[in-house]
């Protein structure tokens, strides 16, 4: 059995949200209060799901949250994931990546690398400490995140990627500062268009800073050249014309890439989601709890993936918001 959907897309990327807790309360993600209902599973349960999914053709696993570094035991979990072997004929360790806000990364970057982590993406929505605090609603986080980025580079988790969500009225003026940051720090900055997945329902088309606007703002600083990228890659990649530094733009709103989507997700409470914008989940953990065998779980996954949604409908009349917000799904 291999994972593919009725539109012929083959599925090989898995994201696992290992907690919905977070130590930041970014304005475009969470409410200012402790909104989320904390839901997380023992690592053994995520590991069993990952093992079955790797058996079905998953070759890349990204750990996310909430904030994944809040989970004690993440290093051991990465070590266990690194013992899995892909079923694509190559029998290699799956590629293991992490998306984090970076606040707790400095201490743990090297142990994670040693355990088998291949890559890290750090989310950072401003390159000045005050603006950073305004967006995250946490004072004094900026320095910790910088230390985390440096530690990740030193640990050899190269190239470190930085995710930045731009919001009009908050940080759209950060485009050029991020361009300079990418060049100075030798990190790949990836701008992500804001999607309607937030708890506070503040999304409007006007608040989204689009790919075209980002390219045009950056080009006023230095011209960009597009780099040829793989069709399944979510980011359009650009290098600066003098050859120093790279940025990416992930543009699900203005340039959707659903036709090449190769992803599925496990939420922190163990549900399988076939699209960020799904209006339902598939309760894999409930099936496990009821004692299902690996074969039964595999069949359940294969059937759910077959029905993967064709595309999201952001910006279209009658758009139905996802059944759960990013906090619960895991970015
Ligand atoms: N706490 C970790 C972090 O900060 O990276 C992992 C979880 S976070 C939800 C994962 C990514 O999703 C972050 O880069 C965040 O900026 C992005 N994100 C959150 N809400 C978003 C939204 N509504 N639209 C686009 N990206 C979003």
């Amino acid at each position: 059995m291999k994972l593919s959907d009725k539109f012929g897309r083959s599925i090989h990327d898995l994201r696992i949200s290992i907690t919905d807790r977070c130590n930041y309360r970014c304005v475009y993600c969470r409410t200012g209060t402790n909104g989320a209902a904390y839901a997380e599973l023992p690592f053994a349960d995520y590991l069993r799901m990952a093992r079955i999914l790797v058996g079905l053709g998953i070759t890349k696993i990204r750990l996310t949250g909430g904030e994944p570094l809040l989970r004690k035991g993440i290093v051991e979990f990465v070590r266990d994931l690194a013992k899995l072997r892909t079923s694509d004929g190559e029998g290699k360790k799956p590629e293991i990546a992490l998306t984090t806000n970076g606040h707790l990364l400095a201490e743990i970057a090297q142990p994670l690398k040693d355990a088998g982590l291949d890559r890290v993406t750090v989310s950072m929505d401003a390159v000045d400490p005050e603006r950073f605090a305004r967006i995250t609603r946490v004072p004094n986080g900026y320095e910790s995140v910088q230390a985390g980025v440096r530690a990740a580079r030193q640990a050899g988790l190269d190239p470190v990627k930085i995710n930045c969500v731009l919001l009009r009225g908050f940080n759209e003026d950060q485009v050029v500062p991020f361009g300079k940051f990418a060049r100075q720090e030798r990190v790949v900055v990836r701008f992500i268009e804001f999607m309607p997945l937030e708890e506070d329902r503040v999304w409007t088309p006007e608040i989204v800073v689009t790919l075209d606007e980002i390219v045009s703002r950056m080009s006023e600083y230095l011209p960009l050249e597009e780099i040829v990228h793989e069709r399944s890659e979510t980011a359009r990649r650009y290098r600066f014309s003098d050859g120093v530094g790279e940025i990416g733009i992930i543009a699900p709103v203005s340039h959707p890439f659903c036709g090449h989507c190769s992803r599925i997700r496990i939420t922190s409470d163990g549900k399988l989601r076939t699209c960020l914008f799904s209006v339902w989940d598939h309760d894999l953990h409930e099936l496990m709890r009821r004692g299902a065998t690996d074969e039964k779980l595999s069949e359940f996954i294969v059937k759910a993936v077959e029905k993967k949604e064709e595309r999201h409908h952001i910006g279209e009349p009658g758009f139905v918001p996802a059944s759960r917000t990013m906090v619960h799904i895991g970015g």
Side-chain angles (χ1 to χ4, degrees):
M1 280 189 288
K2 282 279 176 267
L3 289 179
S4 60
D5 68 14
K6 63 176 183 288
F7 302 103
R9 293 171 298 192
S10 104
I11 305 302
H12 40 84
D13 288 1
L14 169 68
R15 298 193 162 210
I16 309 178
S17 171
I18 58 174
T19 180
D20 58 0
R21 286 180 289 140
C22 194
N23 43 357
Y24 282 6
R25 292 187 298 282
C26 298
V27 289
Y28 59 85
C29 187
R30 305 182 88 91
T31 62
T33 62
N34 285 330
Y38 296 154
E40 48 194 45
L41 303 181
F43 278 123
D45 290 0
Y46 298 126
L47 185 63
R48 181 171 177 211
M49 294 178 189
R51 180 173 50 72
I52 293 170
L53 281 154
V54 167
L56 290 170
I58 291 294
T59 53
K60 283 189 199 167
I61 301 174
R62 178 172 290 274
L63 304 182
T64 179
E67 174 44 44
L69 297 187
L70 289 177
R71 280 294 301 260
K72 302 266 172 292
I74 186 172
V75 173
E76 291 70 26
F77 182 48
V78 168
R79 194 170 296 131
D80 287 337
L81 289 175
K83 289 182 196 145
L84 300 176
R85 288 295 168 265
T86 59
S87 56
D88 56 359
E90 300 196 31
K92 291 190 301 199
K93 159 184 144 346
E95 194 175 319
I96 307 172
L98 170 77
T99 302
T100 169
N101 61 29
H103 194 86
L104 301 170
L105 184 59
E107 295 284 299
I108 206 171
Q110 188 67 57
L112 284 171
K113 169 76 182 168
D114 296 342
L117 188 73
D118 297 294
R119 290 186 291 125
V120 68
T121 299
V122 178
S123 305
M124 226 179 97
D125 304 306
V127 277
D128 89 83
E130 263 176 46
R131 191 82 63 88
F132 187 84
R134 194 174 148 218
I135 295 173
T136 57
R137 294 190 278 209
V138 166
N140 311 322
Y142 189 75
E143 270 316 312
S144 312
V145 175
Q146 297 315 300
V149 171
R150 284 193 296 270
R153 288 192 54 201
Q154 272 160 18
L157 290 163
D158 258 337
V160 174
K161 289 186 183 155
I162 304 289
N163 272 0
C164 166
V165 177
L166 294 171
L167 302 185
R168 196 170 310 288
F170 266 98
N171 60 348
E172 78 265 46
D173 60 345
Q174 294 289 295
V175 171
V176 171
F178 265 116
K180 294 180 178 166
F181 183 81
R183 288 156 62 82
Q184 273 158 19
E185 301 294 324
R186 303 287 165 138
V187 291
V188 177
V189 174
R190 302 187 324 164
F191 299 98
I192 309 178
E193 289 178 349
F194 178 40
M195 295 176 278
L197 285 166
E198 74 291 7
E199 284 194 316
D200 274 349
R201 302 287 183 213
V202 294
W203 190 91
T204 60
E206 293 72 36
I207 207 172
V208 180
V209 182
T210 60
L211 177 141
D212 291 346
E213 181 174 342
I214 297 165
V215 170
S216 132
R217 280 176 179 266
M218 194 66 93
S219 302
E220 280 173 26
Y221 161 53
L222 269 179
L224 292 172
E225 290 165 2
E226 190 158 0
I227 303 171
V228 180
H229 66 285
E230 304 218 355
R231 272 156 59 101
S232 63
E233 268 185 89
T234 51
R236 296 192 177 207
R237 297 168 55 199
Y238 302 83
R239 71 169 75 83
F240 290 98
S241 56
D242 63 359
V244 180
E246 177 181 326
I247 64 157
I249 305 178
I250 302 175
V253 180
S254 69
H255 294 72
F257 39 81
C258 305
H260 308 300
C261 183
S262 56
R263 290 209 184 128
I264 51 171
R265 302 176 132 83
I266 299 287
T267 60
S268 64
D269 56 355
K271 298 192 168 123
L272 176 71
R273 268 184 98 81
T274 48
C275 173
L276 265 178
F277 289 91
S278 292
V279 288
W280 57 72
D281 312 296
H282 306 269
D283 201 344
L284 194 58
H285 190 246
E286 174 58 19
L287 211 60
M288 270 173 62
R289 229 179 37 80
R290 285 198 261 124
T293 60
D294 286 2
E295 288 68 34
K296 277 274 168 264
L297 294 172
S298 298
E299 277 169 30
F300 178 82
I301 294 167
V302 167
K303 283 203 182 115
V305 169
E306 260 167 28
K307 289 186 265 173
K308 182 172 160 68
E309 296 78 348
E310 184 178 19
R311 61 192 175 91
H312 70 63
H313 295 273
I314 303 174
E316 294 175 18
F319 167 71
V320 181
S323 58
R324 302 172 93 191
T325 58
M326 192 68 117
V327 173
H328 297 280
I329 306 167

